[in-house]
Amino acid sequence: MSVRKNISDLIPEEIEAELALLGEKKFRAAQIFSAIHARGAGSFEDIVLLPKALRQKLSDSFEIKNFKESKITSSEKYNTRKFLFELERDPKIRIETVLISEKGRNTVCVSTQAGCNVGCEFCATGKLGFRMNLSAGEICSQVYEVRRQTGVEITNIVYMGMGEPFLNYANVLKSLLMLTNADGLALPGKRITVSTVGFKGKIKKFADDLTSPGNERIGNVKLALSLHSTDNGLRESIIPTSKLNRLPDLYKELTYYYRRTGNKVTYEYIHFPGINDSENDVKRLTALSSMIPSNINIIPFHPIGFQLSKPLDKLNDSFSDTKKLLSNQKLNDLIASLKNNKVVVNLRTSSGVDINAACGQLALAGENL
Ligand code: SF4
């Protein structure tokens, strides 16, 4: 039996080409894409706009396959819900997605990989290892499933869940084209942020791809760099890939990204009390923030249920006291010093920390992948 292609992974132009091979009219591609990406059709039978014979023909060659089941955990304290999805193509593989509802926004934090092999010291996903890349359709379907299961209108998407987006680059780029497609969810590009720890050559490629002809609708997709330290030595000890992807090279590419797209850059900065909040850190962050238009998101460090190694081991004792970590005076001092230096700085809330849904905490409730 031949393997049926997952039609959710195809953009309208690719569906058109497949229809041509089947001897069908091209205009059906937009109808099929729209049924899956705007209305969340889960089978060809759901696409009643198509003639019955075409539905049958399509189901002989294609399938619509994304997630099988999900478990939802809701935070009592924050308006945050965490979804555990099981991949239909392999039920042993599960991923997590988070919905954060605050200040009139419904933001979905999507995963791009099942697990991650970057191995950041502060991240629970990194401790689980890598299993597989998600397809473009699986990345998008997290958004559609969250919308279907909660009934909320999604206003923003951040690529900050499990996995490193730039290590699944082609599928991430394709998913951006799908999510912004006028026949699909039609989310404006400026409401989407892709976050990366940074790889040489990839930021530049991202800027080139966002601005290439035909990709205008994703030209204003935002980029966030998971910075966490401006000291390359410290950064290397907490983000292993930064040994080969040094900050001066990343800064050059961020400047290129800004010049090419005109989009501001966000720096994500987890505050590790007593480790990355010295006067020198403030000076370097201040200098960095004047390099190109940018803002710095300070994120309180969240316990991840794993013992940390040097230099973060100093924080191991704090695990029992989440409240203390989140209301740390050093956090307030860091923000005040940066504001004093006219740096655009925001404190990211710890939405979902009580259900292990906050930044760095996604680990399938500590289960193996
Ligand atoms: Fe991977 Fe991102 Fe976690 Fe680092 S922070 S291990 S890149 S998921």
Side-chain angles (χ1 to χ4, degrees), residues 115-120 122-127 161-164 197 226 239:
C116 182
N117 62 5
V118 174
C120 298
F122 50 84
C123 172
T125 308
K127 302 281 179 196
M162 303 179 98
E164 162 52 53
V197 293
S226 293
I239 304 175

Side-chain angles (χ1 to χ4, degrees), residues 198-201 203-204 225 232 242-256 291:
F199 295 90
K200 252 193 325 194
I203 295 174
K204 183 175 178 299
L225 178 72
N232 214 77
S242 54
K243 286 190 183 78
L244 292 175
N245 300 283
R246 297 177 57 79
L247 284 171
D249 296 320
L250 300 184
Y251 292 160
K252 266 188 217 151
E253 293 200 24
L254 287 174
T255 305
Y256 179 87
M291 183 179 79

Side-chain angles (χ1 to χ4, degrees), residues 15 100 102 137 148 168 171 191 201 203 214 258 302 363 367:
I15 302 176
I100 304 149
E102 59 181 8
R148 190 181 67 77
N168 185 13
N171 289 335
R191 305 262 193 84
I203 295 174
Y258 170 70
H302 301 120
E367 301 167 44

